């Protein structure tokens, strides 16, 4: 099969489209024919050398977010309340952070859910990483409750836009920041207020926040402390918030490290199936253009998810 493999860590020049052996699924694993693989920042960070921290050793195949069809199995594979059989359309997040940029991937059945019939493969592949990151950030760490006020920085991004929808579905009052060109998009997702960071500092417009969900970091994260209520929470997806500042302002801080969670993914899938979660796709490229895909992702200017099709 064809797959994108790296033999060593480095820039996009180390990405190689190669012929490799098709994986063999182990016990309680699915063999999935990949129809779409999403590109995430963690992919090119692993390529750059972050893989060492995760215990990944080249040669390896990148990609942790896929959608496709289950290949032939000897018997139904059961995980929780899900039975998977051949030709099931599925999507999932690969907890091993690798294997998705390929024609086939083998991974634990618990990492997949059935794709809603009205959702295409590109859309399905765009969901799990962003949705799980947002879910774990605002609910597991932030303990967001109905009626609370949440500020989501970078609200038009993949994770931020999921957070807007999940928070609104929970019944929170949602304030999003982003570029003015994305205001209509974020508003349609359910944001009650939108702050164009190019024109206005959010601290001039918002107060008494219960939760800040930070997907931007840097000075944006630092300025958010002063707008939290005492006892509030600041959760980041990009850099650990300052424990010293947390003590000064009387708040709690946390950093999200996304992890597979079958129950959460099943709930996310129900929201997707009911039309309560939407994604925006920036571009779809063939697997052979993986270098271009990584360049777009690393630029930070993609309006939505980047999809590779094997």
């Amino acid at each position: 099969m064809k797959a994108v493999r790296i033999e060593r860590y480095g820039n996009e020049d180390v990405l190689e489209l190669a012929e490799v052996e098709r994986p063999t699924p182990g016990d309680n694993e699915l063999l999935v024919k990949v129809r779409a693989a999403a590109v995430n920042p963690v992919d090119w960070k692993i390529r750059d050398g972050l893989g060492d921290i995760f215990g990944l050793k080249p040669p390896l195949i990148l990609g942790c977010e896929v959608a496709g069809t289950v290949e032939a199995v000897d018997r139904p594979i059961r995980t929780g309340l899900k039975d998977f059989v051949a030709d099931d359309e599925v999507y999932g997040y690969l907890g091993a952070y690798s294997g998705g940029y390929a024609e086939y991937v083998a991974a634990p059945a618990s990492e997949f859910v059935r794709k809603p019939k009205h959702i295409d493969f590109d859309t399905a592949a765009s969901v799990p990483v962003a949705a799980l990151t947002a879910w774990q950030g605002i609910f597991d760490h932030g303990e967001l409750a109905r009626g609370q006020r949440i500020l989501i920085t970078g609200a038009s991004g993949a994770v931020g836009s999921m957070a807007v929808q999940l928070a609104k579905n929970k019944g929170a009052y949602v304030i999003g920041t982003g570029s003015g060109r994305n205001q209509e998009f974020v508003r349609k997702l359910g944001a009650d207020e939108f702050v164009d960071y190019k024109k206005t500092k959010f601290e001039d417009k918002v107060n008494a926040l219960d939760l800040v969900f930070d997907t931007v970091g840097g000075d944006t994260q630092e300025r958010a402390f002063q707008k939290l209520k005492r006892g509030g929470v600041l959760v980041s997806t990009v850099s650990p918030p300052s424990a010293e500042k947390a003590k000064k302002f009387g708040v709690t801080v946390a950093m999200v490290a996304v992890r597979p969670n079958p129950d959460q993914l099943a709930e996310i899938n129900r929201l997707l199936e009911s039309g309560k979660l939407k994604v925006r796709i920036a571009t779809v490229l063939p697997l052979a253009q993986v270098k271009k895909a990584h360049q777009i992702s690393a630029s930070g200017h993609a309006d939505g998810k980047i999809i590779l099709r094997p």
Side-chain angles (χ1 to χ4, degrees):
M1 70 170 187
K2 286 184 170 59
V4 173
R5 182 178 61 187
I6 62 171
E7 298 282 353
R8 66 187 189 282
Y9 293 125
N11 62 24
E12 62 263 20
D13 290 335
V14 304
L15 297 167
E16 173 192 15
L17 186 62
E19 283 288 340
V20 301
E21 187 175 347
R22 193 171 85 168
T24 301
D27 291 342
N28 297 314
E29 288 191 336
L30 298 179
L31 178 65
V32 174
K33 181 177 176 62
V34 179
R35 299 285 297 276
V39 174
N40 290 281
V42 71
D43 299 343
W44 50 263
K45 290 177 182 178
I46 287 173
R47 184 208 70 206
D48 281 346
L50 186 66
D52 261 342
I53 296 176
F54 295 152
L56 300 174
K57 301 296 181 185
L60 60 88
I61 297 168
L62 297 175
C64 62
E65 195 172 29
V66 299
T69 54
V70 176
E71 285 293 286
V73 292
D74 293 333
R75 61 187 184 282
I77 297 178
R78 185 170 179 79
T79 172
L81 299 177
K82 299 174 291 188
D83 287 312
F84 292 110
V85 296
D87 298 324
D88 276 347
E89 296 182 344
V90 298
Y91 71 95
Y93 162 55
L94 311 177
Y97 292 104
S98 62
Y101 294 2
E103 292 181 308
Y104 294 88
V105 65
S110 60
E111 295 180 350
F112 292 95
V113 290
R114 281 193 184 85
K115 180 182 73 64
K117 292 187 181 302
H118 68 284
I119 301 297
D120 62 30
F121 288 105
D122 295 340
T123 299
S126 304
V127 171
V129 170
L132 284 170
T133 302
W135 186 290
Q136 291 167 18
I138 66 177
F139 298 138
D140 293 355
H141 294 292
E143 298 183 351
L144 184 68
R146 177 177 295 277
Q148 289 189 324
R149 291 168 58 84
I150 178 174
L151 173 71
I152 299 167
T153 64
S156 64
V159 176
S161 61
M162 280 293 178
V164 169
Q165 295 172 87
L166 292 173
K168 195 61 186 175
N169 187 66
K170 185 72 172 179
Y173 186 88
V174 180
I175 307 161
T177 74
S179 170
R181 62 191 170 87
N182 287 309
Q183 178 169 348
E184 184 179 359
F185 171 67
V186 175
R187 285 280 198 175
K188 284 183 176 179
L189 295 179
D192 298 284
E193 294 183 39
F194 181 86
V195 180
D196 181 349
Y197 75 89
K198 292 184 177 181
K199 295 181 178 179
T200 308
K201 289 185 176 181
F202 64 80
E203 59 267 35
D204 293 336
K205 294 193 67 173
V206 304
N207 280 293
L209 299 170
D210 297 286
L211 174 61
V212 172
F213 185 60
D214 165 49
T215 73
V216 176
D219 179 61
T220 299
Q221 181 188 108
E222 294 299 307
R223 288 162 28 224
F225 277 97
Q226 61 187 292
K227 293 302 170 178
L228 280 163
K229 297 177 181 176
R230 294 193 71 83
V233 186
L234 193 158
V235 181
S236 179
T237 66
V238 288
S239 58
S242 167
E244 184 179 346
K245 280 204 166 188
K247 185 176 181 180
K248 174 184 176 181
F249 288 98
V251 301
T252 301
V253 294
M255 174 82 181
V256 182
V258 65
R259 64 192 187 281
N261 187 303
D263 293 336
Q264 291 174 356
L265 188 58
E267 182 60 32
I268 287 164
N269 195 47
R270 282 191 282 272
L271 292 172
L272 182 67
E273 192 164 21
S274 67
K276 294 180 180 179
L277 281 184
K278 295 179 174 60
V279 299
R280 181 164 63 168
I281 295 172
T283 188
V284 178
L285 298 168
L287 193 61
Q289 292 188 31
V290 63
K291 292 182 181 180
K292 179 179 179 181
H294 275 214
Q295 289 168 347
I296 295 171
S297 178
S299 76
H301 298 306
D303 283 336
K305 296 287 285 196
I306 302 161
I307 298 294
L308 292 171
R309 286 183 184 163

